[in-house]
């Protein structure tokens, strides 16, 4: 076997093992409320010091990572926060909860038309058991750890991008910044979430969650003078999270934000 092919084969064999070892740094935990359980993984900064205040990043996964194995939710995004340089430059507590199968981080009603999905997003806050668990987990973490309340951030992709908007709607005074990816929301909620800086990401060729749902909420937020920006990627389908995670300014922007009082 030529040397290049041999090295490639070794890399492909070793990389998954290295990734599996790295994601183990996300400790397995669970939050229990009223006989319901939310599995989550939590990553602490290197040389974690309980006396220091740390920002917290909450990330909501997509529908394909639902379950109760407390592992699948790390499929997308976990390695971004495991990067050595990122951990040194932005020491933070990072949390990946896992939504149960057949349930959701959002209350959108989904139908199918013209070979793409159609979403009907609620304009009012509605009950959502999974988000209630996430909210309880956040309160629990703030009691257990010295979290900087001015630097709690949220992001998510697809179902989790929609859940990001819903969490902002439910908790308009909690988050310092948000980065919803290939998600969407009802434009009518814009006044309720306008106090949080938001960076939206979406692929222009996404048919699973069409980009119109990100564009509409972005335009509604722009109209009322909110701090919002959007990246619409040409020739990108539903996997726009790859583009978002590769944005060199994403983390500098995220961690530069402080919650408005």
């Amino acid at each position: 076997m030529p040397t290049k092919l041999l090295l490639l084969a070794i890399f492909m064999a070793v990389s998954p093992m290295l990734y599996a070892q790295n994601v183990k740094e996300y400790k397995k935990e669970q939050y229990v409320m009223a006989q319901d359980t939310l599995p989550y993984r939590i990553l602490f900064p290197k040389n974690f010091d309980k006396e220091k205040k740390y920002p917290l990043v909450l990330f909501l996964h997509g529908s394909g990572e639902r379950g109760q194995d407390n592992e699948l939710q790390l499929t997308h995004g976990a390695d971004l926060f495991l990067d050595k340089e990122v951990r040194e430059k932005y020491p933070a507590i990072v949390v990946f909860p896992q939504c149960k199968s057949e349930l959701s981080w959002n209350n959108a009603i989904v139908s199918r038309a013209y070979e793409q999905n159609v979403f009907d997003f609620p304009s009012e806050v509605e009950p959502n058991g999974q988000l209630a668990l996430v909210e309880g987990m956040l309160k629990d973490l703030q009691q257990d750890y010295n979290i900087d309340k001015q630097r709690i951030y949220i992001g998510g992709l697809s179902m989790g991008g929609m859940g990001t908007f819903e969490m902002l709607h439910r908790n308009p005074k909690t988050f310092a910044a948000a980065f919803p990816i290939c998600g969407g929301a009802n434009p009518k909620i814009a006044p309720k979430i306008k106090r949080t800086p938001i960076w939206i990401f979406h692929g222009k060729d996404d048919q699973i969650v069409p980009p119109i749902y990100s564009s509409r909420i972005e335009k509604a937020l722009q109209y009322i003078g909110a701090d919002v920006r959007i990246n619409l990627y040409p020739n990108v389908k539903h996997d726009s999270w790859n583009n978002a995670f590769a944005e060199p300014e994403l983390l500098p922007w995220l961690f530069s934000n402080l919650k408005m009082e």
Side-chain angles (χ1 to χ4, degrees), residues 229-246:
R229 63 173 82 177
I230 189 169
N231 283 33
L232 294 172
Y233 299 108
N235 305 313
V236 173
K237 296 183 179 180
H238 192 53
D239 58 348
S240 54
W241 51 82
N242 293 321
N243 301 74
F245 296 147

Side-chain angles (χ1 to χ4, degrees), residues 39-200:
Y40 67 92
R41 300 290 284 265
I42 184 167
L43 178 71
F44 293 99
K46 289 286 188 182
N47 304 313
F48 177 64
D49 183 348
K50 286 187 176 182
E51 301 303 314
K52 286 185 179 180
K53 272 190 176 182
Y54 293 99
L56 182 143
V57 181
L58 170 65
F59 193 83
L60 303 179
H61 63 78
S63 60
E65 293 76 60
R66 290 177 291 185
Q68 289 183 288
D69 64 353
N70 211 359
E71 292 188 11
L72 273 177
Q73 75 266 39
L74 297 178
T75 303
H76 303 297
D79 52 347
L80 173 66
F81 299 100
L82 283 171
D83 181 84
K84 182 180 178 182
E85 185 177 342
V86 168
R87 297 189 76 183
E88 289 176 355
K89 195 169 183 179
Y90 307 109
I93 295 172
V94 183
V95 183
F96 279 67
Q98 186 177 34
C99 181
K100 285 184 180 178
S101 300
E102 309 304 326
L103 297 179
S104 180
W105 299 132
N106 67 85
N107 291 327
I109 298 172
V110 190
S111 56
R112 186 79 177 168
Y114 305 109
E115 298 184 352
Q116 64 181 16
N117 291 327
V118 177
F119 293 83
D120 182 13
F121 296 100
S123 59
E124 301 294 334
V125 173
E126 298 177 356
N128 183 300
Q130 294 299 283
L131 292 186
L133 284 168
V134 172
E135 291 164 343
M137 177 198 69
L138 273 178
K139 290 178 182 177
D140 207 46
L141 291 172
Q142 290 181 70
Q143 291 176 353
D144 291 345
Y145 303 107
N146 197 6
I147 292 169
D148 187 344
K149 293 182 180 180
Q150 286 190 293
R151 303 181 69 198
I152 299 177
Y153 308 106
I154 185 169
L157 60 90
S158 193
M159 178 186 78
M162 300 172 197
T164 297
F165 282 115
E166 290 214 18
M167 282 292 287
L168 294 180
H169 191 194
R170 291 165 63 102
N171 306 275
K173 297 180 180 180
T174 297
F175 300 100
F179 57 106
I181 306 167
C182 55
N186 191 316
K188 291 181 180 179
I189 74 169
K192 299 285 182 68
I193 67 173
K194 67 178 182 180
R195 65 185 294 140
T196 305
I198 303 173
W199 192 349
I200 302 169

